[in-house]
Amino acid sequence: AQTVTQSQPEMSVQEAETVTLSCTYDTSENNYYLFWYKQPPSRQMILVIRQEAYKQQNATENRFSVNFQKAAKSFSLKISDSQLGDTAMYFCAFHTNSGYALNFGKGTSLLVTP
Amino acid sequence: NAGVMQNPRHLVRRRGQEARLRCSPMKGHSHVYWYRQLPEEGLKFMVYLQKENIIDESGMPKERFSAEFPKEGPSILRIQQVVRGDSAAYFCASSRGTGTEVYYGYTFGSGTRLTVV
């Protein structure tokens, strides 16, 4: 079975602080792709960052970075200098190289407070 | 350069009615995927289609649900005789292909929120 676990249903962080959202996944395949999506109240699924499993270097996109630990099957998201606009649900997901369906976790609701 | 277009954005149906959800993929994308998001849950894969073909419907309930992607026009997700448990957000995504094409080019629509009353 291919599963994604996000163990933090809700998190809160103050503006300008740093927060880390955790994600673990399970797959028997060796080649796969990992994603973090943001879903604001508008419901739009917005790609935040992605990582190819065969790349050891952690991906970064401006204030967003990941800590990818392949052996531990862990893919956490770090948000630096948090902004009020970062308030949203965050979903971790992956798909295998041979596949096409994204497997999603249940999400972490992040609230950024002034 | 329009993205994935879904309509309607909101749909209210009474129990027993039919719901039709439409999805137009991004220009140049011929692969369409439907997902369902139940309240407080992540998205769950339902079905994968290419033009005129259902490739994988393993995530779709066996009864009352059907999907199509005709040669001309949008992809349609059809739910017959809706029940309260069908209330959810339904998302469509599209890509140019699979594998790395999914990694680089998977694009989601804004979703249709179906409410069954």
Side-chain angles (χ1 to χ4, degrees):
Chain A
Q2 301 187 29
T3 59
V4 179
T5 302
Q6 294 180 248
S7 58
Q8 307 147 315
E10 295 179 351
M11 293 195 73
S12 180
V13 65
Q14 282 197 312
E15 209 174 356
E17 297 294 306
T18 294
V19 64
T20 298
L21 280 58
S22 65
C23 171
T24 58
Y25 58 90
D26 189 26
T27 178
S28 58
E29 301 213 14
N30 196 44
N31 294 323
Y32 48 88
Y33 304 98
L34 297 150
F35 307 83
W36 277 97
Y37 280 90
K38 169 185 177 181
Q39 187 179 45
S42 66
R43 204 169 63 221
Q44 180 71 44
M45 293 294 287
I46 301 167
L47 178 64
V48 174
I49 198 166
R50 56 191 166 196
Q51 170 94 36
E52 294 168 90
Y54 71 87
K55 287 189 176 177
Q56 293 188 343
Q57 186 172 5
N58 290 321
T60 61
E61 286 286 341
N62 301 314
R63 299 183 294 107
F64 299 88
S65 61
V66 297
N67 183 4
F68 174 45
Q69 303 287 330
K70 190 172 184 179
K73 294 182 179 174
S74 171
F75 185 62
S76 60
L77 174 69
K78 185 169 87 171
I79 306 174
S80 304
D81 186 26
S82 296
Q83 300 175 0
L84 296 177
D86 294 335
T87 292
M89 283 292 289
Y90 286 82
F91 292 98
C92 178
F94 80 95
H95 79 89
T96 61
N97 188 45
S98 58
Y100 37 80
L102 292 183
N103 300 280
F104 283 87
K106 290 191 174 185
T108 295
S109 177
L110 176 67
L111 175 65
V112 181
T113 58
Chain B
N1 187 14
V4 178
M5 304 302 291
Q6 286 190 252
N7 64 81
R9 185 147 174 80
H10 302 278
L11 182 62
V12 179
R13 283 289 177 264
R14 295 187 184 279
R15 281 177 293 170
Q17 289 185 321
E18 178 179 287
R20 281 183 177 242
L21 288 61
R22 289 178 290 278
C23 169
S24 296
M26 271 190 74
K27 189 176 180 180
H29 288 191
S30 58
H31 298 243
V32 167
Y33 317 82
W34 285 93
Y35 289 79
R36 178 164 67 175
Q37 184 180 26
L38 294 170
E40 312 298 325
E41 297 280 326
L43 278 67
K44 297 273 194 238
F45 168 77
M46 297 180 75
V47 61
Y48 161 38
L49 310 102
Q50 294 180 29
K51 282 287 186 182
E52 299 185 279
N53 285 305
I54 297 174
I55 309 301
D56 179 358
E57 55 183 349
S58 59
M60 201 152 68
K62 294 287 186 283
E63 297 184 358
R64 302 187 298 107
F65 285 72
S66 62
E68 62 177 12
F69 189 17
K71 188 176 179 181
E72 301 291 337
S75 175
I76 305 286
L77 179 67
R78 183 182 177 205
I79 311 172
Q80 295 179 289
Q81 299 174 340
V82 296
V83 300
R84 288 231 171 97
D86 297 332
S87 294
Y90 292 83
F91 286 89
C92 170
S94 71
S95 69
R96 200 183 298 272
T98 59
T100 54
E101 293 286 0
V102 172
Y103 178 70
Y104 287 109
Y106 218 75
T107 305
F108 281 94
S110 298
T112 293
R113 179 169 296 284
L114 172 66
T115 302
V116 180
V117 297

